Amino acid sequence: MTENLSTPVGQDNEVESGKLDGYYCVAVLPEPGVTATSEEAFDRAESQGLMIPLAQVYQAKSWVSTGANTPLLRQDVVNGIGRDNLEALAEVSGISVDEVVAEAIEKLPALVDGASPEGTLIVDSENPPTVDLGIGKIVLAKISE
């Protein structure tokens, strides 16, 4: 589905068992008549490689914890979302790829951190946490297999 995001030397790529399993950041581009949290939007995001499992983002463990957030790196955004997807989002948003990446670096940790105030992710499936990314949205979702 996506590449494992980079892990710096000395960092453990394993995340505490169960803490992030099933949680995804889902990038959704606007489409007339399709809501950002609909099954159709998620299916399209999955087919385009835009469902990023939080368990594959080594920094996400720090975003869920009550301590400081480890920053997201540019290469992680490009690897996770994909250069083609970033270019498409930038084009329809009328901004540069660098601006989309900068938004993701700022907003993704805050999105996950805000949904885990006591160190545990809380995601309401009816009203999941979202953040704008260009004209698209990033939705934090718990997806059962």
Side-chain angles (χ1 to χ4, degrees):
M1 182 181 325
T2 61
E3 297 178 33
N4 275 331
L5 302 186
S6 65
T7 303
V9 174
Q11 291 283 333
D12 184 5
N13 197 30
E14 293 299 316
V15 179
E16 290 177 30
S17 177
K19 196 160 194 168
L20 297 176
D21 289 344
Y23 288 96
Y24 292 80
C25 282
V26 183
V28 179
L29 295 176
E31 185 174 313
V34 178
T35 63
T37 58
S38 71
E39 188 173 328
E40 183 180 346
F42 283 14
D43 288 345
R44 190 179 54 224
E46 183 175 24
S47 72
Q48 295 171 339
L50 294 174
M51 290 183 70
I52 303 166
L54 284 182
Q56 290 186 6
V57 182
Y58 83 89
Q59 298 98 324
K61 184 176 175 183
S62 77
W63 306 341
V64 173
S65 74
T66 56
N69 288 339
T70 302
L72 189 59
L73 304 174
R74 176 182 173 75
Q75 97 182 39
D76 295 329
V77 173
V78 173
N79 289 344
I81 296 175
R83 183 82 184 164
D84 292 345
N85 291 324
L86 288 168
E87 288 172 355
L89 180 57
E91 184 177 334
V92 298
S93 299
I95 59 178
S96 71
V97 169
D98 287 340
E99 289 171 300
V100 172
V101 170
E103 276 190 47
I105 288 170
E106 175 188 343
K107 293 179 176 181
L108 291 178
L111 175 67
V112 176
D113 190 48
S116 57
E118 300 297 323
T120 301
L121 277 169
I122 301 168
V123 175
D124 176 359
S125 63
E126 298 295 317
N127 190 23
T130 63
V131 66
D132 293 336
L133 185 62
I135 65 166
K137 296 220 178 277
I138 300 291
V139 179
L140 183 59
K142 171 80 169 160
I143 299 174
S144 303
E145 302 228 359

